[in-house]
Amino acid sequence: LEPFIKSSGHSEFVYPSPAYGFAQVAIAACCKKHGKKAVIFVAKRNTLYKYTQIAQSLGATICQVPDGRLVVVSKRAKDYVAASPTTRHMIRWGASDPQTLENLIKSLQKIEPKMRNKRVWVCVGSGTLLTAMAAAWPKTRFMCLIVGANHDM
């Protein structure tokens, strides 16, 4: 994620996030580090979830969407990006763009010899981390705890 944000010509990175998603924190941290703007769209809540609070503390603009099921949150984020597509970029669900996945797989492969014939428990929300781990460690058995999202895996 960081190499993409750093090298992109866009000045704003927009992410439609589930309240419990950690990608909002990663995006906010990368944007802060590289002088870019993070804009996080989330469902409106009485109190921001802790990850959204962390993203906000890192400088992210938080856009709360009333009655915001994720499909509605995503639509609001797409509309926001469409208003200025040359300066704004929407980050895919789970930060799963091909470049980010490739960089994550390469990082995981560095520790691959230690993971041969192992069993790993992993929390799965968007599936991005599991996808990268499975590609990097093909002989590893994954035990998944699905959190936050329904996904066909």
Side-chain angles (χ1 to χ4, degrees), residues 74-89:
S74 294
K75 174 71 168 106
R76 298 296 176 270
K78 284 178 188 174
D79 292 347
Y80 178 79
V81 170
S84 185
T86 58
T87 60
R88 298 173 181 161
H89 176 79

Side-chain angles (χ1 to χ4, degrees), residues 26-147:
I27 292 162
C30 288
C31 285
K32 180 178 181 174
K33 181 175 179 180
H34 297 290
K36 311 253 179 151
K37 181 178 179 181
V39 181
I40 309 297
F41 283 76
V42 294
K44 185 171 175 56
R45 302 169 61 90
N46 290 333
T47 304
L48 292 178
Y49 188 69
K50 64 181 175 182
Y51 293 155
T52 308
Q53 290 176 14
I54 294 168
Q56 188 174 48
S57 75
L58 289 167
T61 298
I62 307 300
C63 298
Q64 294 190 67
V65 179
D67 301 317
R69 297 181 67 76
L70 195 51
V71 67
V72 177
V73 170
S74 294
K75 174 71 168 106
R76 298 296 176 270
K78 284 178 188 174
D79 292 347
Y80 178 79
V81 170
S84 185
T86 58
T87 60
R88 298 173 181 161
H89 176 79
M90 184 138 114
I91 296 177
R92 291 170 51 168
W93 167 249
S96 62
D97 64 272
Q99 183 182 356
T100 298
L101 269 174
E102 182 181 327
N103 290 335
L104 184 54
I105 290 165
K106 285 178 183 175
S107 294
L108 291 167
Q109 285 172 332
K110 292 176 184 174
I111 57 174
E112 191 275 332
K114 298 175 186 172
M115 299 309 298
R116 286 196 182 122
N117 302 312
K118 299 287 183 176
R119 182 181 345 196
V120 173
W121 284 87
V122 60
C123 290
V124 179
S126 66
T128 302
L129 181 59
L130 177 61
T131 299
M133 291 170 99
W137 307 332
K139 295 180 181 180
T140 301
R141 183 172 178 207
F142 296 97
M143 311 302 289
C144 301
L145 173 63
I146 297 175
V147 296

